[in-house]
Amino acid sequence: MSELTLADVYRARQRIKGRVVATPLVQSMALSRIAGVPVYLKLETVQPTGSFKLRGATNALAQLAEQGCKRVVTASTGNHGRAVAHAARALGMEAAVCMSSLVPKNKVDAVDALGARVVISGKSQDDAQVEAQRLVREEGYAYVPPFDDPRVIAGQATIGLEILETLPDASTIIVPLSGGGLFSGVAFAAKCVRPDIAMIGVSMERGAAMHASLAAGKPIFVDELETLADSLGGGIGLDNRHTFSMTRELIDHVVLLDEVSIARGIVHAYREERLVIEGAAAVGIAAVLDRAVETRGTNPIVIVISGCNIDIDAHRRLIGA
Ligand SMILES: *Cc1c(COP(=O)(O)O)cnc(C)c1O
């Protein structure tokens, strides 16, 4: 297990206060009807960068800033890259985001618009990663990992505190699962406060690296495949130090979803909840629609809605508009 403590999570909350939104927890009447118990949605979609990743990034960067560090780097072009760029600007730090020349222009522009230095290198994510490590070695940048880092995990864990403060009798929390930073954090905080709570992780069938690693008993490589839940793609790292062991210890059940179910989750969110959400954020709703989650008595279920950064044309096609 990791060295993370509940005190670290409370300190993270103090550190990110005012920079990150304490998000709403809203009952879904449609999903409550379907599940037969109250179902609540934790809306990380309202964070200024459109995903929960701002919590972990802000907690990590604030600690680096306290230590006098002024430059941070990451190789993520997705929600983590946005979060690092945003948090760096808010804290008066310089951020570099390394990406390959194959990254689409809209993603490059999004990072650029947040004031980060875009560093294009090579033709793959691995090349971008190598360049990030070079900036660490040669230009004094601090690397900020997307999930496998106690500071990042503690930031994501603040979601667990917020949920149980608002809804102390929740029986189950459903969390999208990729590298496991979100899951480890939320599960750690929730089980510290309420050891009997059920923690469900949801991934897509296509390239579920954490699920495959849990089954193998160690971090393993899984081919990355195209999926509607694109923010859940990618491996957990063969040298994973924190999130694999934490997830293994804290998880009660994994649900895997096919692409049709994920699409149904996105469409349900739009039609019934009036929410535009990305595929990775729709997996919890989809798991409930698929009746893949057991209820316990009449106690509420909470679904973490992790982000809203979906290509708006892709979204329009999915909802048939
Ligand atoms: C990163 C991300 C996830 C998964 O988080 P992990 O910590 O990698 O498991 C889920 N949803 C969204 C929207 C994300 O950006």
Side-chain angles (χ1 to χ4, degrees), residues 7-78:
D8 292 325
V9 183
Y10 280 104
R11 274 194 289 271
R13 177 151 72 174
Q14 281 312 110
R15 226 178 261 123
I16 68 178
K17 200 172 178 176
R19 304 187 185 280
V20 167
V21 179
T23 53
L25 186 62
V26 182
Q27 187 173 3
S28 159
M29 301 319 291
L31 289 171
S32 299
R33 227 164 17 244
I34 290 164
V37 299
V39 176
Y40 286 78
L41 307 179
K42 180 68 170 162
L43 297 179
E44 291 300 307
T45 49
V46 303
Q47 296 295 354
T49 57
S51 88
F52 72 90
K53 290 239 174 38
L54 193 58
R55 295 178 187 257
T58 301
N59 188 46
L61 265 62
Q63 284 176 80
L64 287 165
E66 283 164 23
Q67 293 156 9
C69 166
K70 293 195 164 52
R71 312 169 101 187
V72 292
V73 60
T74 179
S76 158
T77 61

